[in-house]
Amino acid sequence: DGGITQSPKYLFRKEGQNVTLSCEQNLNHDAMYWYRQDPGQGLRLIYYSQIVNDFQKGDIAEGYSVSREKKESFPLTVTSAQKNPTAFYLCASSMTGQSYEQYFGPGTRLTVT
Amino acid sequence: GESVGLHLPTLSVQEGDNSIINCAYSNSASDYFIWYKQESGKGPQFIIDIRSNMDKRQGQRVTVLLNKTVKHLSLQIAATQPGDSAVYFCAELGGGADGLTFGKGTHLIIQP
């Protein structure tokens, strides 16, 4: 089956710890994205990558980091510098960086206490 | 900054009725629009898209209308079913960004 997987579905961390969220796709898409969704809110773009070994900051990149060492994988690290890390995190991919549908993973709900 | 938004946060309709969900956008340079459906605790799912050179596109039970004059986008769902209950987002692409800009969403509630 082709698609995007995110793991784990639920993640709990103590404040001050870094945590890495996994995102893998087997759709052979070049572009990948990370969004954050807060309750009752739309999606906000954290980081995106159009090609391996390259990525750009989105609207709310502060406190987050990413890597794109493989086409299939785009992990997101939520660092201790992120002041309000508790949220629902969504990963997406698309055929190119523009003008194509983005396919979303099932999301990871991160709770930091 | 430019943004995409929705007129109503919640829409309640009777099962079997048609639903219309609206979206206003402000970036006149946007050339591609998508409607997504998001069920609780899940990622958004693509419903239908439309490019700026079109004003209407139909899918299965859904129709998207684009009015570029007033920068308005709507999603029509025919014969609404209980499974249509979800939050619906419009998203736009264009104007220099390399990601979609999403509206806040409309929660569609289906009354039996």
Side-chain angles (χ1 to χ4, degrees), chain A residues 38-50:
Chain A
D38 294 287
Q41 300 290 318
L43 281 65
R44 292 185 289 169
L45 183 65
I46 304 173
Y47 268 99
Y48 63 97
S49 167
Q50 295 188 335

Side-chain angles (χ1 to χ4, degrees), chain B residues 35 46-51 54-66 74-78:
Chain B
W35 279 102
F46 171 89
I47 300 174
I48 193 168
D49 61 358
I50 189 167
R51 296 189 182 277
M54 304 170 68
D55 54 19
K56 180 179 180 179
R57 189 158 190 230
Q58 287 184 293
Q60 187 176 12
R61 280 202 308 119
V62 295
T63 301
V64 55
L65 299 177
L66 176 62
S74 69
L75 176 70
Q76 300 178 4
I77 305 174

Side-chain angles (χ1 to χ4, degrees), chain B residues 52-99:
Chain B
S52 59
N53 61 353
M54 304 170 68
D55 54 19
K56 180 179 180 179
R57 189 158 190 230
Q58 287 184 293
Q60 187 176 12
R61 280 202 308 119
V62 295
T63 301
V64 55
L65 299 177
L66 176 62
N67 185 332
K68 294 181 286 295
T69 302
V70 295
K71 299 193 192 74
H72 184 267
L73 191 70
S74 69
L75 176 70
Q76 300 178 4
I77 305 174
T80 314
Q81 303 169 357
D84 294 329
S85 289
V87 176
Y88 291 81
F89 294 95
C90 65
E92 64 175 328
L93 188 71
D98 279 305

